[in-house]
Each structure stands twice: as structure tokens, then as C-alpha cells.
Amino acid sequence: MMRAIDLFAGSGLFSRGAEDAGINVIWAANHWQVAVDCYAANHSIEPKCQDLHQADWTQVPAHDLLIASPACTGHTPARGKDRPHHDADRATAWAVVSALECHRPSYGVVENVVAFTRWVLFPAWCQAVTALGYAISPHRVDFADLDVPQNRERVIIVLSRSKHPLQLDLPKLPHIPATKIVDFNAGSWSPIRKPGRSPNTIARIEHGRQMHGDRFVAPYYSNGSGLTGRSLHRPIGTIPTVDRWAVIDGDRMRMLSITEARLAMTVPDDYVLPPRHADAMKLLGNAVPRTGAMHIFESLRNVA
């Protein structure tokens, strides 16, 4: 059985997807104690809570596969123009290089936002990985194609100690609409037109109503999905680390619930998340959808 380690493991959904594909995850780490506790509650191993820049990789067990989701906040346009894009979050990708240098596993799978490939140092990162003997194969993936009810575009970078890059043969499955995850009989609703509601929010909802009728989802802030929201007959947009998606039902609205976000991220029913709403949403938004991860690792095993 292929043995793997998981860097920046977060809630552990990337690991769970690997395990569902028949891979044995033997070591994991994350710097945030809440994430470490969530991982430990759902897996048979106790992950390390540490800054991976300071990791002693000689103490990590030998493995065949390195799994990693370096911080995306230094790359994603979703963070906005006012926050710097040259902070320490970008540097987390170099921990992947350090781990590869120490152990030289046969394979690696690195997940990040597509903007990661536009990082000014991405060519240097690739050069470092290549110098360690790895062929690099980036795959642009929309997780909606992988049985996930969410349009979530990411880059999956496959590393292999092979002469030629490995090309994953990923399925393209029918999309699952947001109707499968939104429950109009649940949640805490409020009137759309109430004192203090942003005029921009109301205008976005009115435009959405003209496009989609009385029931749809819309971004509560920012301009994702334009000014019209999204039909419930298509997958919901990317689940972020904070409350963003509003569910509209006639003259009332509410934010997407944790239960609905779990479904959008294909979290197993028995998976334990933190009780605090903000912590659970942060872990979900930072995660790799479990079902999509499973398909990725099944494809890797087929070509490895």
C-alpha cells in the first residue's frame, strides 16, 4: 500500500480522500491547533502542530507520496487588492521543496489556487523541484467535474520521479446542482429589506431575482458571480473561509449553513468539525473536497 504524508493538512479532508482511494496516510502536520484537533478527531494518527518551515524532516517517517496544500492566501485574488500579496503565506510552498529534498518520495500532489502558477517565483519553485529529480505535471481542475456540488477551480500539481510527467486521467462527471445541498426548511432567516442592509446587497439580489426567480444563491459581498447571483440548478460557487453565500427565498434570506457547506465540500456524515461556526467555516473553505481528492488519488494510483 502506498504510504503518504500530508503537509498543511488542515481539517484532514485531503487525507480522507487519499485514504478513500486506498492510500495509507502515516504523518500529517498543520500550524493551527484547531485544525490539528479536527484532524485528530477524524483520523487514526495524531498530527503535529508546528510551523513546517521549522520542521526536522529527518524525524518524518519514510513515505511514497507527499501531499501538500500550501497556503493559498498569498496568491488568490479573493483576498482583495488592499492586502499585500508578498507576505509569508507564499513562502509555505518552499516547505514542500525541503520535505522532498530530505525524503525523495516517488510522488507528490500539491494543491493550490490557479493563481499559484502565476506567482513570480513559481518558475523558481518548479526549477527547485526539477533539480530534485521530479517531473512536473500541473492539472487545472474544477471540482464540480469530480462529483463535488461546487465550482471550485484549483491547480493540482503532480510530481513524479519519472522521465516524463504523469498525466492524470480524471473523470468528468455530471455536475451536481446547488438544489442538492440547500435546505429551504432550515436555517435562521431575516427580511431582505431590513434596516442596515447594504444597498449593494439589495441591488444584487434584485438583479438575481430577475435572472433566477425567487430562489437562488448570491454572494453577500464582493463581486463573484457578477451582479446576478447563481441559479440553484448549477453547482454553488467556491466555498471560502468565511460566510459569503446568501440563500435567497422570496423576501427572506440567510447565509449558507455549516451543514450546507459540509455537503458542498463532500464531508462525510460522521466527520467531526469544530463547534464554533467561524472555525468550522475556515476549515471547510481551506480544505480540498473529499470526493474530488479521492478521484485525484485514484487516478494517480492508476498511472503510478
Side-chain angles (χ1 to χ4, degrees):
M1 179 180 290
M2 188 179 289
R3 305 193 334 153
I5 66 169
D6 189 351
L7 313 187
F8 316 103
S11 63
L13 288 180
F14 210 9
S15 285
R16 176 60 69 90
E19 292 164 350
D20 290 345
I23 292 169
N24 183 22
V25 181
I26 59 172
W27 186 91
N30 198 86
H31 72 284
W32 187 30
Q33 188 63 52
V34 172
V36 168
D37 292 342
C38 180
Y39 192 108
N42 294 289
H43 295 81
S44 60
I45 61 173
E46 186 77 28
K48 302 295 183 182
C49 186
Q50 67 175 122
D51 176 359
L52 290 177
H53 288 300
Q54 308 299 322
D56 180 355
W57 299 109
T58 64
Q59 299 304 305
V60 175
H63 49 277
D64 311 294
L65 168 66
L66 178 145
I67 302 169
S69 293
C72 68
T73 50
H75 304 281
T76 177
R79 68 182 295 163
K81 297 179 180 179
D82 296 332
R83 296 177 61 190
H85 284 245
H86 56 276
D87 57 16
D89 284 343
R90 291 180 181 268
T92 56
W94 294 108
V96 174
V97 177
S98 297
L100 291 172
E101 182 182 13
C102 181
H103 284 280
R104 308 293 175 97
S106 298
Y107 307 101
V109 174
V110 180
E111 179 267 354
N112 214 300
V113 294
V114 174
F116 177 64
T117 61
R118 299 192 290 271
W119 177 30
V120 67
L121 292 179
F122 181 69
W125 184 87
C126 289
Q127 186 176 23
V129 172
T130 302
L132 296 175
Y134 290 91
I136 301 174
S137 180
H139 296 66
R140 186 165 179 163
V141 174
D142 183 349
F143 278 85
D145 294 333
L146 300 179
D147 221 19
V148 176
Q150 176 189 173
N151 284 125
R152 188 183 187 90
E153 286 199 353
R154 293 293 187 267
V155 62
I156 302 296
I157 303 174
V158 178
L159 312 176
S160 58
R161 293 181 62 79
S162 58
K163 183 176 180 180
H164 301 291
L166 294 183
Q167 185 66 37
L168 301 184
D169 184 16
L170 294 171
K172 192 163 186 178
L173 302 170
H175 285 187
I176 301 173
T179 53
K180 297 295 186 181
I181 69 169
V182 175
D183 182 359
F184 284 95
N185 296 316
S188 179
W189 299 85
S190 64
I192 291 173
R193 293 185 177 274
K194 73 172 187 177
R197 187 82 75 194
S198 165
N200 289 337
T201 297
I202 294 175
R204 186 181 296 119
I205 291 171
E206 290 303 321
H207 288 141
R209 186 174 283 115
Q210 294 172 20
M211 291 286 294
H212 310 300
D214 283 341
R215 285 184 165 182
F216 57 99
V217 292
Y220 193 69
Y221 63 86
S222 186
N223 59 0
S225 292
L227 297 176
T228 61
R230 295 170 70 95
S231 168
L232 292 169
H233 299 293
R234 60 185 291 201
I236 199 169
T238 300
I239 302 297
T241 58
V242 295
D243 290 324
R244 179 171 186 264
W245 288 105
V247 180
I248 312 301
D249 182 20
D251 295 327
R252 64 177 188 163
M253 66 182 294
R254 64 169 173 80
M255 303 308 293
L256 198 74
S257 70
I258 290 297
T259 298
E260 292 161 333
R262 286 177 64 111
L263 291 171
M265 295 298 293
T266 61
V267 178
D269 291 340
D270 62 349
Y271 213 80
V272 180
L273 292 175
R276 184 170 177 263
H277 178 96
D279 290 342
M281 189 60 75
K282 182 175 180 178
L283 285 175
L284 289 171
N286 274 328
V288 179
R290 189 265 311 176
T291 301
M294 179 189 69
H295 285 297
I296 289 166
F297 290 117
E298 285 177 343
S299 296
L300 175 65
R301 292 191 66 194
N302 288 337
V303 298

